[in-house]
Amino acid sequence: MHIVRRRGWEIPESRVTPEAAVIGRRTLLGTSLALSVANMAVAQTAEVGPGGAGPRNPKYLAGRDITPETAATTYNNYYEFSEGKNLWRSAQQLKLRPWTVVIDGMVAKPQTLDIDTLLKQVKLEERIYRHRCVERWAMTVPWTGFPMTELLRVAGPQPSAKYIVFESLADKKMMPGVRSPLYPWPYIEGVAIDEAANDVAFLSTGMFGKPLTPQNGGPLRVTLPWKYGFKSAKALVRISFTDKRPVSLWEQINPDEYGFWANVNPGVAHPRWSQADETLIGDERTVKTVIYNGYGDFVAGLYDGRKSEKLFT
Ligand SMILES: Nc1nc2c(c(=O)[nH]1)N[C@H]1C(S)=C(S)[C@@H](COP(=O)(O)O)O[C@H]1N2
Ligand SMILES: [Mo]
């Protein structure tokens, strides 16, 4: 990775997305065609499948306007497809069914579940959450899915389990970015078990009342609205329980910039830019970023005993 990282600062920052800049030059992978109105309509059409509908949970309203669906489904981060944002068309290659999810590691009984079997074991609901990328853009999304507490119930972690590792699909056939050797695929991310047990921690299977689109992480993704967006891994194929803190894909590449906790904090700058504010996608206003992205009343207590750690990187 040394050669790769050295290339990062040779490229003007304006030519790369901030997260890509840590690795190097923008590649031609996933180069997308220009958007047209007709294409945008296609972008919103998810593959047929359940996971889209559930009653709205009135406890979670974001206090902001919901991002237009067209914007939320056509401006994405998904490095398995592209280092750019305009990847939704390429992501339609991803087949969302059949789909299996492995639950293993320190659990009562390891299992391989068909996604539709898993969906029958949980109660779906809708939550409107803020979504804040470390690159300083933000959205407000009505997700459908289930609280991570439901995953804990289905998985039955052993008392010794301290972390959950989420692993995304890494399929070279369907995902052009995975053919790039510059990244240590698969994309993995993780949370501490007590974070997963917090009611805000969520797994999404839908958005805007429909099944989750491929580009937004269908058929199953992590949703942790008080953390920077990179923590929320897409297209989950494995969920492992462990007593060792995982090192995420981004942390492997650049540990100084992307840590384990990655809680949103306007007062703690990224090494290369301020985190004080954020631009609302589909609206383009810039607003002030809020500590824990506004979820401090729910989650701040998780970090009382962890003050010595880098909680905001
Ligand atoms: N597997 C995978 N998950 C991922 C990413 C990725 O590149 N691959 N990008 C992350 C980042 S940086 C962000 S900001 C969000 C973007 O989610 P969205 O495209 O649905 O807005 O997904 C996160 N999950
Ligand atoms: Mo991000």
Side-chain angles (χ1 to χ4, degrees):
M1 299 312 293
H2 288 254
I3 300 157
V4 167
R5 277 162 70 177
R6 207 167 51 232
R7 295 220 313 259
W9 45 260
E10 294 172 11
I11 309 297
E13 204 173 309
S14 59
R15 286 199 48 227
V16 292
T17 63
E19 279 162 342
V22 303
I23 307 227
R25 64 162 68 222
R26 187 191 285 266
T27 69
L28 292 174
L29 294 176
T31 300
S32 318
L33 303 174
L35 280 181
S36 71
V37 175
N39 288 341
M40 286 189 170
V42 174
Q44 293 176 14
T45 313
E47 240 173 85
V48 183
R56 182 168 291 180
N57 184 337
K59 198 168 149 192
Y60 299 107
L61 304 169
R64 288 182 181 173
D65 290 345
I66 291 175
T67 300
E69 183 179 355
T70 302
T73 55
T74 56
Y75 185 93
N76 297 98
N77 267 343
Y78 206 160
Y79 282 72
E80 287 87 337
F81 288 99
S82 173
E83 292 174 340
K85 307 291 182 227
N86 184 3
L87 55 86
W88 62 266
R89 177 188 268 271
S90 167
Q92 307 311 307
Q93 294 303 311
L94 182 56
K95 297 250 339 139
L96 303 186
R97 295 291 190 286
W99 192 279
T100 52
V101 181
V102 174
I103 300 177
D104 66 0
M106 295 175 160
V107 290
K109 186 169 67 80
Q111 43 186 327
T112 301
L113 283 167
D114 182 81
I115 183 71
D116 295 314
T117 308
L118 174 61
L119 287 177
K120 280 185 205 122
Q121 293 180 29
V122 295
K123 209 153 126 250
L124 297 180
E125 61 179 65
E126 184 180 68
R127 296 184 180 189
I128 304 171
Y129 272 164
R130 297 182 183 191
H131 170 31
R132 174 35 163 104
C133 175
V134 74
E135 297 167 335
R136 238 162 29 194
W137 53 264
M139 296 185 186
T140 307
V141 179
W143 301 106
T144 308
F146 55 93
M148 249 183 227
T149 50
E150 289 281 279
L151 169 70
L152 296 175
R153 181 180 57 73
V154 170
Q158 295 169 6
S160 50
K162 292 194 173 62
Y163 300 96
I164 309 179
V165 188
F166 298 101
E167 182 181 320
S168 301
L169 181 72
D171 183 307
K172 285 186 177 166
K173 282 202 212 84
M174 295 189 285
M175 301 167 133
V178 176
R179 293 176 215 144
S180 164
L182 303 186
Y183 294 84
W185 307 110
Y187 196 100
I188 67 157
E189 264 302 342
V191 293
I193 291 268
D194 61 333
E195 293 184 304
N198 187 280
D199 191 55
V200 182
F202 201 65
L203 287 155
S204 296
T205 59
M207 67 195 297
F208 296 93
K210 302 169 192 170
L212 203 53
T213 62
Q215 63 271 33
N216 291 94
L220 180 68
R221 76 174 287 172
V222 176
T223 304
L224 303 165
W226 74 97
K227 293 180 180 287
Y228 292 115
F230 67 86
K231 294 294 298 179
S232 293
K234 297 178 170 183
L236 302 180
V237 291
R238 181 184 293 268
I239 301 172
S240 302
F241 290 75
T242 170
D243 57 359
K244 284 180 200 66
R245 187 181 296 182
V247 181
S248 75
L249 175 136
W250 288 115
E251 197 178 356
Q252 287 174 58
I253 295 168
N254 198 332
D256 295 337
E257 301 196 355
Y258 304 103
F260 178 76
W261 300 104
N263 296 308
V264 173
N265 187 339
V268 178
H270 182 279
R272 290 181 284 135
W273 57 84
S274 159
Q275 294 291 22
D277 46 39
E278 62 206 49
T279 299
L280 303 175
I281 299 299
D283 171 312
E284 308 311 332
R285 266 177 311 150
T286 295
V287 298
K288 289 209 173 315
T289 292
V290 185
I291 182 108
Y292 295 112
N293 208 18
Y295 298 92
D297 288 351
F298 300 103
V299 302
L302 288 168
Y303 307 103
D304 285 346
R306 291 168 165 147
K307 294 264 152 70
S308 63
E309 304 215 33
K310 278 176 107 185
L311 295 173
F312 305 106
T313 303

